Amino acid sequence: MTFRSIRLAIALAFVTLLSASCGIINWNQEPPYELAASWGEKGSGQGQFNDPTGIAVTADEVFVADARNSRIQVFDKQGRFKRAFGQDNLDRPMNLSVALGGVYIPDYFKDVIHVYTLGGSHKRTIEVEGGLNSPGGVAVYPDGTLLIADTYGQRIVHIDANGQVLNSWNGKGIWAGEFNYPTGVALTADGGFYVADGYNDRVQQFGRDGNVIRKWGGPFALNIFGPFKGWFATVTSVAVGPDGSVFVADFYNNRIQKFTADGDYLTSFGVESDGPGQTEIAVAVDRDGTVWSVNFDANRVEQWRP
């Protein structure tokens, strides 16, 4: 029996046991969110996308990482195109962040963080001390320091605005504080952070002191496909709502899952794929609790309301 078949057998055993005893299917603390609006299609024109991979929102605008078109597109909240930027500098933008009056963009291929004004003017490129290896996500502290999900570097790294490393959480593995291609990071109000621990199929929560508080996801970091609450099949993005709720893009299950700040499952929602691809790859939360996602398969932006 191969290692993969052993992992699958363990996963199926857990699914069978917990489905019967814990109601892990079709049980929500809250109703699912409803799809309120969407826009976009595959292409390279205004309002078209080619593999969108990240999203961020301000009070009146939506910023989308249009990865294979090597640009950021900006829309108003009704989906009207406003501007695009980055074509001269970006290669593969990923889980971007809007903070301190700027747009912070991890470049998966160039291994740097680009910083733009909200209007689309390039301000600077941050090269991290010792280098990055395919960064997938970034978050910005109020003091201007950055947390980066260094995906192929198998770490989360904390840097100052000039790229000097202040702290780093390193190591590939399944134990607490280890990672398997982390894809995103989101800050908590008290200075801690959550990590989208990609191929470990889980979320890890760290305190402001950098210590692991908790982790949640499938057993033994196994891909769990299907409508099982609190389990994932590749985590690709994480966002924190205004009330502290945690929203997670569960990519291969085509959904966003919502949790309390402590990791208790609340609800899930998303759009099923019409083809071989997957849908919900990135998530952001507005100040009023509206959820925004990008649908990778359909090449569109989606707005969700409770």
Side-chain angles (χ1 to χ4, degrees), residues 15 24 27 33 39 43 53 62 66 78 94 103 133 180 201 230 263 301:
V15 168
I24 65 172
W27 180 86
Y33 283 43
W39 67 84
T53 52
V62 180
D66 187 9
Q78 288 70 50
M94 299 297 287
V103 187
N133 191 352
N180 192 4
D201 310 302
V301 175

Side-chain angles (χ1 to χ4, degrees), residues 172-291:
K172 187 175 188 296
I174 66 172
W175 306 114
E178 297 178 334
F179 307 103
N180 192 4
Y181 301 97
T183 55
V185 62
L187 301 177
T188 63
D190 65 357
F193 57 95
Y194 296 96
V195 175
D197 192 5
Y199 291 150
N200 270 337
D201 310 302
R202 68 185 181 185
V203 173
Q204 294 198 67
Q205 181 183 0
F206 293 76
R208 62 184 301 170
D209 58 3
N211 293 326
V212 178
I213 296 176
R214 63 179 57 86
K215 53 185 174 64
W216 70 88
F220 306 118
L222 293 168
N223 289 100
I224 304 296
F225 296 92
F228 307 114
K229 65 183 185 186
W231 291 2
F232 307 107
T234 306
V235 178
T236 49
S237 178
V238 60
V240 177
D243 64 351
S245 298
V246 182
F247 295 81
V248 184
D250 183 11
F251 185 52
Y252 280 94
N253 283 324
N254 303 305
R255 64 181 176 176
I256 306 296
Q257 293 198 65
K258 180 183 179 182
F259 302 86
T260 68
D262 297 329
D264 294 325
Y265 174 85
L266 294 174
T267 191
S268 64
F269 49 93
V271 176
E272 287 296 324
S273 172
D274 291 331
Q278 280 67 50
T279 58
E280 315 303 337
I281 194 171
V283 61
V285 189
D286 226 326
R287 61 182 63 183
D288 66 355
T290 299
V291 174

